[in-house]
Amino acid sequence: MLKHALLICVTALIITACSETKEVIITPEKEDLTVITVGNWITQQNGKVMFDPQTSGLVAINDRLLTIADASANKSQQLKLHSIDPATSTLLSSSSTFSFSTKVRRSCFYNYLSAEPDLEALAVDPRDANVIYTVTEDATRTGALSPRCESKYSTTGSTDYPTLLVRLARKANGDFAMTHVRPLQFPASFNVGNFPNDGIEGIAMDADGTMYLGLEKDIAGQPRIFSVNVDDNFFSTTDFAVVKEPALLLPEFPSGNHPINGLTLHKVNDRAFLIAAARNDDELWIIDVIGEQPTLRVPVTFMVKGTEACEDYVMDNASMEGLVTLENTLWIINDPWEKNYLKNASCKADEEKYKDLAPLLFSVPLNDAWFQ
């Protein structure tokens, strides 16, 4: 009996030894890409915060940041570029009110552009740092176009009043002029829809003249990115510039609002990526311009730098709007959303700043893993 049991054990060992070892597959945990950024109030040189500029874009020139105000800003902030020192979050200066070229004055759009235009986003021309572009969004507060202009520009493919791409040029004294304007047309097949306050909110430009335009939402509620080629002859006509749609792998959503509220272009070893500000989602979207890789979504936690009265605290609603890369840092500026801004005032010492609709400046180190 003992011999029989021993024989069974030996046989079992031989079988076990001879059988193949099963490969154990270990699935690595998904890396948490969440970034935490602590913002500083943008202050004037007298120490006061920047009052209600509704900052709506961000670019970098010569280690300085430039931003622009939209139509909901305090009138004193509109139709100007505002220069910020990123190292100190100090407002260094504001340009004089934009002047207008004869071409713009004689255009169908001068009445709108010279009053309270809803200027959204900024992009520096990589071929000429003295040229900056901006784009208009909501023109419902302006009067209708003249009958002649209406007949020429009625087929926008989007809103009743056309979206306008505007060229700004730096003058010898450092101020800026609106030198050219051209309306954009969206093909009907793009199904953009008529959403005056959910239009183009971000622009970015490549060295070959490709201008990318980030749309908040289309008729299906999806964010979109379009493009147009701004070559040397782009502003030689006042006809519509028809946008195209590059084949980018953007996120798609079954419901909710997931707008793009800012764009910037970043290159890594000659590969181009768009970085988008997904405001409602508190995410950065890293978008492969070639369209080979799906968009990487990077969650962002926005905090405010504390004072003697409060420690650093998390914002309820940051509403990031403009963003730009400068060396190895991504700079982000927010657009104070009046409806929700006071929800951030968990620190009573900052309550008046929120009431003044003052913006903050945030920085995020660029992560190589974003651009693999």
Side-chain angles (χ1 to χ4, degrees), residues 118-172:
D118 194 29
L119 303 179
E120 301 282 352
L122 294 171
V124 177
D125 193 323
R127 303 160 299 189
D128 186 349
N130 288 314
V131 174
I132 298 176
Y133 300 97
T134 185
V135 67
T136 65
E137 186 186 27
D138 186 2
T140 56
R141 283 169 281 196
T142 191
L145 291 168
S146 68
R148 177 184 67 84
C149 293
E150 172 69 24
S151 64
K152 185 175 181 179
Y153 298 119
S154 61
T155 312
T156 67
S158 58
T159 50
D160 294 334
Y161 197 102
T163 298
L164 307 176
L165 187 62
V166 178
R167 181 183 185 272
L168 301 170
R170 190 194 305 268
K171 300 190 292 186

Side-chain angles (χ1 to χ4, degrees), residues 27-64:
T27 303
E29 292 186 10
K30 188 175 180 181
E31 182 182 358
D32 183 3
L33 294 174
T34 301
V35 296
I36 299 173
T37 178
V38 181
N40 292 290
W41 296 100
I42 298 173
T43 56
Q44 303 174 71
Q45 297 188 50
N46 61 9
K48 294 183 179 180
V49 293
M50 193 177 184
F51 177 69
D52 191 17
Q54 296 296 303
T55 37
S56 293
L58 198 65
V59 292
I61 298 180
N62 297 330
D63 297 327
R64 293 291 181 263

Side-chain angles (χ1 to χ4, degrees), residues 127-366:
R127 303 160 299 189
D128 186 349
N130 288 314
V131 174
I132 298 176
Y133 300 97
T134 185
V135 67
T136 65
E137 186 186 27
D138 186 2
T140 56
R141 283 169 281 196
T142 191
L145 291 168
S146 68
R148 177 184 67 84
C149 293
E150 172 69 24
S151 64
K152 185 175 181 179
Y153 298 119
S154 61
T155 312
T156 67
S158 58
T159 50
D160 294 334
Y161 197 102
T163 298
L164 307 176
L165 187 62
V166 178
R167 181 183 185 272
L168 301 170
R170 190 194 305 268
K171 300 190 292 186
N173 65 359
D175 287 326
F176 286 83
M178 280 193 185
T179 61
H180 298 80
V181 56
R182 190 173 175 189
L184 302 178
Q185 185 182 57
F186 301 85
S189 61
F190 286 0
N191 292 316
V192 170
N194 187 349
F195 303 109
N197 199 35
D198 291 290
I200 300 298
E201 282 269 351
I203 58 176
M205 191 173 188
D206 206 343
D208 65 358
T210 302
M211 174 80 73
Y212 296 95
L213 306 110
L215 181 81
E216 286 197 82
K217 72 174 184 182
D218 65 8
I219 202 166
Q222 300 298 319
R224 303 272 289 276
I225 292 180
F226 304 106
S227 68
V228 68
N229 183 30
V230 184
D231 59 20
D232 292 340
N233 297 317
F234 182 82
F235 288 105
S236 63
T237 176
T238 58
D239 293 339
F240 274 121
V242 182
V243 306
K244 299 178 180 180
E245 185 167 28
L248 307 178
L249 299 178
L250 296 180
E252 294 184 4
F253 302 93
S255 62
N257 291 318
H258 306 270
I260 291 173
N261 282 81
L263 275 184
T264 192
L265 188 76
H266 182 69
K267 290 192 173 182
V268 179
N269 298 327
D270 295 327
R271 285 188 61 196
F273 296 85
L274 289 168
I275 306 178
R279 182 191 68 185
N280 287 16
D281 297 283
D282 281 339
E283 291 179 345
L284 298 170
W285 292 352
I286 314 301
I287 304 163
D288 177 16
V289 167
I290 298 176
E292 293 179 347
Q293 298 181 20
T295 292
L296 178 69
R297 298 169 64 181
V298 179
V300 185
T301 298
F302 290 94
M303 302 185 70
V304 178
K305 188 174 181 60
T307 61
E308 293 179 357
C310 302
E311 296 181 346
D312 297 355
Y313 60 93
V314 177
M315 298 185 77
D316 178 88
N317 185 281
S319 295
M320 62 173 160
E321 184 89 3
L323 70 175
V324 68
T325 59
L326 189 58
E327 296 181 349
N328 296 317
T329 301
L330 176 70
W331 293 95
I332 303 170
I333 198 167
N334 72 322
D335 177 11
W337 189 359
E338 186 172 1
K339 177 181 176 182
N340 294 303
Y341 213 42
L342 271 175
K343 295 177 183 177
N344 296 307
S346 57
C347 176
K348 290 297 181 182
D350 286 343
E351 187 171 355
E352 290 302 315
K353 297 171 185 175
Y354 289 113
K355 288 180 178 179
D356 285 344
L357 300 175
L360 296 109
L361 186 65
F362 304 87
S363 63
V364 175
L366 292 175

